[in-house]
Amino acid sequence: MASSEQEEQAAALLGPKVEEAYTTDGSLDVDGNPALKHRTGGWRACRSILGTEFCYCLAYYGITFNLVTYLTTELHQSNVAAANNVSTWQATCFLTPLVGAVVADSYWGRYPTMVVTCCIGVAGMLMAALSALLPLLIKDTSTVSMASAQESVLFLGLYMIAFGVGGLRPCILSFGADQFDDGDPSERMSKGSFFNWYIFTMNCASVISTTGTVWVQDHYGWALGLGIPAMVLAVGLSFLVAASRLYRFQTTRGSPLTRVCQVVVAAVCKFNVAPPADVALLYELPEDACSMKGVPRIEHTSDLRFFDKAAIVTASDEEAVGAARRNPWRLCIVTQVEELKILVRMLPLWACVAFYYTATVQANSTFVEQGMAMDARVGSLLVPPASLATFQVLTTIVLIPLYDRVFVPAARRFTGREKGISDLLRIGGGLAMAVLAMVAAALVEMKRVRAVQTGMEPTSILWQAPQYMLVGVGELLATIGQLDFFYSQAPPAMKTVCTALGFLSIAAGEYLSSLVVTAVSWATTTGGRPGWIPDDLNEGHLDLFFWMMAGLGCLNLLVFTSCAMRYKSRKAC
């Protein structure tokens, strides 16, 4: 009797410790068993993930930054054709992550998706390097046919890279965040830091690519310059695979797009059915149901009531449920309805973030054109206008450690928030930085034009540094904040898809920027006028364009603030 009592006491003492040893979010280890906290996940797993991210960015940017030069000098394309080819390819690289996210969340899972698409990316980069080797391998052919063969091999490789990016971009970010258990307060705080160090790693790789890789391409030839990115990405793949036993894995729960469509179809079919006054009457599976195992419930919310119609149990539904033949296109569970509500609530905020990138993308276009009209001499050096973007990258690199190690702990003591400030407040600060960057650019342009008109010394290109630095601060706040926000607010079954929304907002911002510039050019050149952005900026009003972007940015910030104040946040999953 005494021994049994002792065993019960020992079990009572050991029980919590055994339970404490496992993660609380349902994650598994590589063998499919519940993940142990002290053996998997955390920073021990994220070091290799960040190493893969560094190699991927180093390889990708090593091709991206100088691709237009390769197309014009080696393949003899015109400036317009080369620019269009690069723009189309980059836009594709921002659209494919949505496809990769759906595949990862629906079928393969994040880790297998990353491994497969990374292999495709390595093969694509080898094809790009092969395009530069062809003239050395095949010499008995005409220049025209050789250029045609090189183009075919190159573009096949580039679009293989685009599919590789489509799997890596959304999965590596969400997979890294999966390594931290939200049920553990210390790990939950570390997850916020992970997003900061993710962008830090990306910017460090960007700096090395713009200097070292481009230098190799210009001085040692394109065969080596395009071969290095392939080797670097292969190293990143080895980092990812070598640490597989340290990772925590989340199970897939079916196609998120199918789940969303089921709610919409079911709600439309019951358009004339009124939702019940008692929300407890809405359909939900019991927690012990097989299909609900490992799926956290999402509590019912009172807004967007139209979608609640999808969970109303009608007479025909009762017969089907009783016979265990529920049609998911006619009757959905409350958790599934709430998943769609979360996506709908995020869409206005996503649109505001997309417009933020419409402003910041000017750093790669109109900022450079402005710098080309300024005095690029700094002492005895002649600074390329595009090199001013270094101020943007360095600002982000310097501020991320300060934000993560100094600002967040200090803000946490005042606000009580684990991240110091909310994600929405952080994004709003980034949107404000974009407005200030446009104001700074407008003031610099006014100063430059005044110097030209009065015959004064040309304005130094270094006057552009503040506007680039403000864009860098905006990236620290808005870019990292929106990635963290979309991941933490996403339903468990849609983590990768919602992460891809962050990258999709960048593509949407670039497309919208092109539309805005085209519209401004059309509206301001009527009647034979030179317009705001002519080839000779001294004849135009680039300052008015920047003031217009600042005004639109203020309006965007007001809309974002209104949406953020009404947004109903949910706990991270």
Side-chain angles (χ1 to χ4, degrees), residues 169-192:
R169 258 187 177 148
C171 291
I172 199 168
L173 180 60
S174 54
F175 186 68
D178 287 344
Q179 306 309 309
F180 300 97
D181 182 9
D182 273 315
D184 187 318
S186 62
E187 289 198 18
R188 192 166 56 242
M189 287 188 290
S190 296
K191 180 182 290 187

Side-chain angles (χ1 to χ4, degrees), residues 21 25 28 71 191 206 273 293 295 303 363 421 441 486 533 552:
D25 57 1
L28 307 174
L71 293 176
K191 180 182 290 187
S206 174
V273 181
K293 289 182 179 179
V295 181
D303 60 337
I421 58 176
F486 287 127
I533 316 176
L552 292 175

Side-chain angles (χ1 to χ4, degrees), residues 49-64:
I49 294 173
L50 290 176
T52 302
E53 169 67 13
F54 177 81
C55 292
Y56 145 65
C57 289
L58 189 63
Y60 172 73
Y61 290 127
I63 291 178
T64 303

Side-chain angles (χ1 to χ4, degrees), residues 527-548:
R529 292 177 296 174
W532 286 1
I533 316 176
D535 291 337
D536 185 357
L537 293 183
N538 296 331
E539 298 177 357
H541 284 285
L542 186 59
D543 56 326
L544 295 181
F545 173 76
F546 289 139
W547 284 119
M548 183 197 73

